[in-house]
Amino acid sequence: MNEFIVNLNNLVWANPIIFLILGSSIFFTVILKGVQVRNMKHQIHLLFTAQDSDAGISPFATFCTVIGYRVGTANVAGVAVGIFSGGPGAVFWMMVTSLLGTAISYAECSLGQVYKIKQDGEYRGGAYYYVQKGLGWRVPAVIYAVLTLICVPILTVAPHAFSITSGFKTSLGISQYITGAIAAVLLFVIISGGIRRIAKTAELMVPFMTIGFAVLTIVVIIMNIDAVPSAISLILRSAFGQDAVFGGILGSAVLWGVKRSVNSSGAGMGEAVPAASATECPHPGVQGLVNSFSVYIDLFVCLCSALIIILTDCFNVQDSAGNLIHVSEGSQAIASQSVEPGIAWAQEGLNSLFPGGIGAVILAIFLFFFAFTTLLNYYYQGETAIAYLLYNKSQKIRRSAIWVLRIVMPLIFFYFAIQSSSTSFSSGELGVGLMVWFNVIMLLIMSPTIKKVHDDYSRQRKAGVDRPIFNPQKLGIKNADVWMEINKEAIKQENVNQ
């Protein structure tokens, strides 16, 4: 089974998907006029200017929920895997792809808001909603919803489950079975409360884990301040094939940088859309900007992880033939390959700086929060897919199916928590790759609508409107009826003024 998953993953992540991701990232950056880099001040302002409602959660709660899934094991363990197969240069291409991919995040999250619905008293949305309502394609939408249900709360759970348990095994010697069982029970308790309990949990965890990890990285940088310029130089030289050791794996650096970027940020696979669609806001452009800003946090944490690993020289690198071209000088365990690429590399790096193995323990705790908040969002994506697939069924049937997911997902988590690293990461990457192929192509087809939404928000802002409102009828956008109710009073007043 492991060999089959690895081979299928390699097929999905061949060169065509790299061209698709980079090409679409550049395309959306151009047609949206660099939306991800010219609105930072406004993006931050939007985080704190709206509140939740009975039907939706606040932009800040959504931001924390999305950060919770974007900042996960891929930001630590995934960075190590990228360096192992692509060299230090993979870090540069990972960051470039994330920066460009932010435009895709704006596109998918704003589009999710446009075509969201109100069901069972809550806002719901996802890529399957905008495929059906925006394009009128029911069958592809159903296929994507099924794909989401299989890939997200099942396949992509794998690397996060493994990283949580392996982190505590490496640092404290706790059995993966014990950590996996405890985490699985805690996962069930939180997801059983739905999006509101998930959002509240994320609001508590995300600021702590992000700021704490940043402080930890700053300490590492200060302790290795003399080596920082050479580490950054190594990343840049390797990224462009100019380093004597890593110059021969330039193609792998680009491939693994792009792959790890998408696995880390999720931009392009539609992961953030369900949570983004659950937000209470006056215009889809608001959530597009808020969610695209979250990618910067993801990018920052990835850089922090890379610096910890590279500054302490706790990494190996292999070429495409599987031969080691760099062997760690910072850790004997890594040099002997007794430690697989992943969370253990960063733990070894911290252990070389902090006495008594305390560095590994600290990172295991941080990684628990990173991975756990990611899993909460993965569950919600599965819940939203079920709600879509059973839209015409009774509320009782939908609720029953959702409760089945709430029971099954912790069991799936426990299964992957005790598997090997290669199986876990290949399973996660396979799920991401399948969703990227579908979602990005749909976004490109629907790019005229995305541009309409962006231009409408920008036009109102330039006209001095502090709180732009969305009127889909005015823009000629069909099947976005929920917005006529959301902005009913504002649209009525606008019609009177005209």
Side-chain angles (χ1 to χ4, degrees):
M1 176 60 75
N2 180 42
E3 184 178 354
F4 172 76
I5 292 174
V6 170
N7 290 336
L8 184 58
N9 180 46
N10 290 336
L11 179 64
V12 170
W13 280 99
N15 287 336
I17 197 173
I18 305 303
F19 297 135
L20 174 68
I21 293 168
L22 288 177
S24 57
S25 296
I26 294 171
F27 172 75
F28 281 113
T29 296
V30 171
I31 70 166
L32 299 177
K33 304 172 184 177
V35 65
Q36 69 267 52
V37 295
R38 62 180 173 83
N39 289 284
M40 283 193 183
K41 183 178 179 180
H42 184 52
Q43 287 170 319
I44 296 172
H45 171 72
L46 288 173
L47 285 175
F48 307 101
T49 55
Q51 301 298 319
D52 56 9
S53 67
D54 290 338
I57 57 178
S58 71
F60 181 71
T62 302
F63 175 77
C64 288
T65 303
V66 172
I67 284 293
Y69 99 77
R70 280 194 167 141
V71 179
T73 58
N75 299 78
V76 183
V79 170
V81 173
I83 292 174
F84 178 64
S85 297
V91 177
F92 173 83
W93 293 110
M94 187 176 185
M95 296 184 69
V96 168
T97 304
S98 292
L99 183 61
L100 291 172
T102 305
I104 297 182
S105 181
Y106 176 94
E108 61 188 4
C109 291
S110 59
L111 199 60
Q113 272 283 336
V114 170
Y115 294 108
K116 69 183 180 182
I117 66 168
K118 193 172 184 180
Q119 183 184 45
D120 301 333
E122 297 179 343
Y123 291 132
R124 290 195 183 277
Y128 24 86
Y129 285 100
Y130 56 66
V131 170
Q132 179 178 344
K133 293 165 70 73
L135 295 174
W137 297 353
R138 168 67 175 169
V139 174
V142 170
I143 292 173
Y144 186 79
V146 172
L147 199 61
T148 299
L149 190 56
I150 295 173
C151 292
V152 181
I154 297 177
L155 288 180
T156 54
V157 164
H160 305 281
F162 173 79
S163 294
I164 286 176
T165 55
S166 64
F168 282 101
K169 181 180 179 180
T170 301
S171 60
L172 296 173
I174 300 175
S175 167
Q176 289 177 265
Y177 286 87
I178 295 175
T179 306
I182 293 173
V185 171
L186 186 58
L187 177 64
F188 172 76
V189 170
I190 295 176
I191 64 177
S192 64
I195 184 59
R196 293 190 179 279
R197 189 177 297 173
I198 291 171
K200 292 299 181 183
T201 303
E203 281 188 274
L204 292 173
M205 289 185 174
V206 166
F208 161 76
M209 72 186 196
T210 306
I211 295 173
F213 194 66
V215 170
L216 180 64
T217 305
I218 291 171
V219 172
V220 172
I221 290 174
I222 292 174
M223 296 176 72
N224 294 270
I225 193 66
D226 293 339
V228 172
S230 61
I232 294 176
S233 175
L234 177 62
I235 291 173
L236 294 175
R237 293 198 316 272
S238 302
F240 295 98
Q242 300 301 307
D243 184 81
V245 177
F246 306 113
I249 59 170
L250 174 59
S252 295
V254 177
L255 170 65
W256 280 92
V258 174
K259 182 187 290 189
R260 297 317 314 165
S261 169
V262 178
N263 277 270
S264 172
S265 71
M269 67 174 290
E271 275 189 324
V273 180
S277 302
T279 307
E280 181 70 56
C281 61
H283 196 289
V286 170
Q287 203 52 41
L289 288 170
V290 168
N291 277 35
S292 60
F293 181 72
S294 67
V295 176
Y296 288 107
I297 309 298
D298 164 82
L299 188 152
F300 173 73
V301 176
C302 286
L303 179 60
C304 289
S305 301
L307 288 175
I308 289 174
I309 292 170
I310 293 173
L311 283 173
T312 57
D313 196 6
C314 285
F315 67 98
N316 296 333
V317 179
Q318 70 172 9
D319 60 18
S320 57
N323 302 311
L324 287 180
I325 58 176
H326 174 82
V327 178
S328 171
E329 294 184 0
S331 168
Q332 184 59 44
I334 294 176
S336 65
Q337 301 183 66
S338 63
V339 174
E340 292 184 278
I343 176 63
W345 281 15
Q347 288 180 307
E348 285 287 302
L350 291 175
N351 278 342
S352 69
L353 301 174
F354 299 100
I358 190 173
V361 176
I362 293 173
L363 188 57
I365 294 171
F366 277 124
L367 194 74
F368 172 81
F369 286 113
F370 288 167
F372 198 79
T373 52
T374 299
L375 293 169
L376 298 181
N377 187 275
Y378 283 176
Y379 157 76
Y380 185 65
Q381 290 178 64
E383 178 184 306
T384 305
I386 288 174
Y388 169 80
L389 292 169
L390 300 179
Y391 178 77
N392 293 320
K393 302 298 181 180
S394 68
Q395 183 177 357
K396 182 178 180 180
I397 292 176
R398 285 196 298 272
R399 290 295 181 189
S400 297
I402 287 171
W403 270 103
V404 170
L405 177 63
R406 290 172 178 176
I407 294 171
V408 169
M409 185 180 171
L411 296 176
I412 295 292
F413 168 88
F414 180 76
Y415 170 77
F416 281 117
I418 58 176
Q419 300 302 309
S420 69
S421 175
S422 59
T423 301
S424 298
F425 277 96
S426 294
S427 298
E429 289 170 1
L430 175 61
V432 171
L434 290 172
M435 293 181 68
V436 166
W437 269 111
F438 186 97
N439 187 52
V440 172
I441 290 174
M442 293 300 107
L443 290 175
L444 291 170
I445 295 172
M446 301 184 72
S447 58
T449 300
I450 295 166
K451 192 174 188 306
K452 275 185 183 180
V453 173
H454 168 267
D455 291 349
D456 178 61
Y457 187 83
S458 298
R459 177 187 58 78
Q460 292 186 57
R461 286 283 300 167
K462 288 179 180 178
V465 179
D466 184 58
R467 190 175 183 272
I469 64 165
F470 183 55
N471 184 344
Q473 291 184 357
K474 187 177 180 180
L475 299 177
I477 297 176
K478 299 179 180 180
N479 299 321
D481 302 330
V482 71
W483 285 98
M484 302 307 294
E485 179 63 28
I486 292 172
N487 289 327
K488 180 172 60 179
E489 296 302 320
I491 292 173
K492 185 186 298 184
Q493 185 60 47
E494 184 181 60
N495 292 334
V496 170
N497 293 337
Q498 292 178 347

